[in-house]
Amino acid sequence: MEDNSIEKKYNKFIIAVSIVIPVAVAILFGVKLKDFGYNVEPLSMLPPVYATINGITAVVLVAAVMAIKNGKRLLHERLMTFAIALSVAFLVMYVAYHMTADSTKYGGEGVLRYVYFFILITHILLSIAIIPLVLITYVRGLAQRFDRHKKIAKITFPLWLYVAVTGVVVYLMISPYYVH
């Protein structure tokens, strides 16, 4: 049974979350705990952890698509819920790291520098754009609005996969320049 009221119920939540998360991340990215007198060591172990989480997210997304193509709806739903949980875990670790450490400057030169910044900028912009897409897609699935779910999922999936994969690529490209 399709339920449009579930979609309507979550619309304001989706809009709020889609605005609050990028704004909060932008603000917190500039907050350094040391500036407030907290003597905290940089959480330097987090970048490889959250890069790994991005990689796992990519694998989970592909597995979820394979599950639904094989008619395994419950597995698909569980994998998508897991992918969202992974993304939330990534976000918490990303913010925690940047609140305890100075930003790392990319040290590559030549064409690699342009490639890095292209990947980084598209990764950041799409990571913002993907928030409402993921939430709308997820709610449509929960509401059993499968026609509408499938339509938006065709957009959401490749963008989310790109964000997850480029998160790993950005880490691999900048990791030689981290201060240890």
Side-chain angles (χ1 to χ4, degrees):
M1 177 168 112
E2 294 183 357
D3 191 352
N4 195 30
S5 65
I6 292 175
E7 280 187 78
K8 287 182 181 178
K9 176 181 170 184
Y10 285 102
N11 281 345
K12 287 179 183 167
F13 171 78
I14 290 169
I15 292 167
V17 168
S18 299
I19 294 168
V20 168
I21 288 177
V23 169
V25 170
I27 291 167
L28 293 173
F29 195 85
V31 171
K32 301 295 180 220
L33 294 178
K34 66 182 177 183
D35 296 342
F36 295 93
Y38 295 103
N39 188 16
V40 294
E41 289 294 314
L43 300 173
S44 56
M45 76 298 225
L46 286 182
V49 173
Y50 61 68
T52 301
I53 287 174
N54 268 329
I56 294 168
T57 301
V59 171
V60 169
L61 290 172
V62 170
V65 169
M66 290 171 47
I68 200 63
K69 287 184 182 273
N70 289 318
K72 298 177 180 177
R73 186 183 293 172
L74 182 58
L75 177 59
H76 172 76
E77 182 181 333
R78 288 178 177 163
L79 288 169
M80 294 312 299
T81 301
F82 184 46
I84 291 171
L86 287 169
S87 294
V88 170
F90 161 83
L91 189 60
V92 169
M93 287 184 233
Y94 178 82
V95 169
Y97 172 74
H98 284 284
M99 289 179 74
T100 63
D102 293 325
S103 291
T104 300
K105 304 269 187 259
Y106 181 70
E109 298 175 355
V111 73
L112 271 184
R113 186 170 186 79
Y114 294 106
V115 170
Y116 171 79
F117 282 108
F118 174 81
I119 293 170
L120 177 64
I121 291 166
T122 58
H123 171 80
I124 291 168
L125 293 175
L126 289 173
S127 70
I128 295 167
I130 201 66
I131 296 167
L133 291 172
V134 166
L135 295 174
I136 291 166
T137 306
Y138 190 73
V139 166
R140 286 182 179 175
L142 291 178
Q144 298 184 14
R145 300 292 306 259
F146 298 124
D147 56 329
R148 296 180 57 159
H149 170 80
K150 187 175 180 179
K151 192 173 187 178
I152 195 170
K154 288 181 179 185
I155 298 165
T156 304
F157 169 71
L159 294 179
W160 194 0
L161 185 61
Y162 178 86
V163 169
V165 170
T166 56
V168 176
V169 172
V170 165
Y171 168 74
L172 291 173
M173 290 183 81
I174 201 164
S175 63
Y177 307 104
Y178 279 116
V179 177
H180 297 289

